[in-house]
Amino acid sequence: MAEQVLTGTSLRLILEAGVDQFGEMKYKSKNYNNIKTSATPDALFELRTLF
């Protein structure tokens, strides 16, 4: 029997940072490590309103 064990999580946000001189979209990313394994996807989604 197979078993899954969640040992760690991370969250990566990719944010739009405007446009460059050629009109192409620029992006920035922000990484958060060691997110609690008990965090639900809904709780993490709510964090996006802080940025």
Side-chain angles (χ1 to χ4, degrees):
M1 176 180 213
E3 185 176 315
Q4 179 181 4
V5 177
L6 184 60
T7 59
T9 57
S10 63
L11 175 65
R12 182 175 198 178
L13 300 176
I14 300 174
L15 309 166
E16 293 180 354
V19 293
D20 64 9
Q21 63 192 17
F22 303 109
E24 298 289 326
M25 185 61 70
K26 294 190 319 184
Y27 298 95
K28 288 185 177 183
S29 64
K30 185 73 176 169
N31 296 317
Y32 296 94
N33 298 316
N34 301 321
I35 302 294
K36 289 184 179 181
T37 57
S38 61
T40 64
D42 289 333
L44 296 175
F45 186 74
E46 288 180 20
L47 289 176
R48 71 175 174 80
T49 60
L50 299 175
F51 298 98

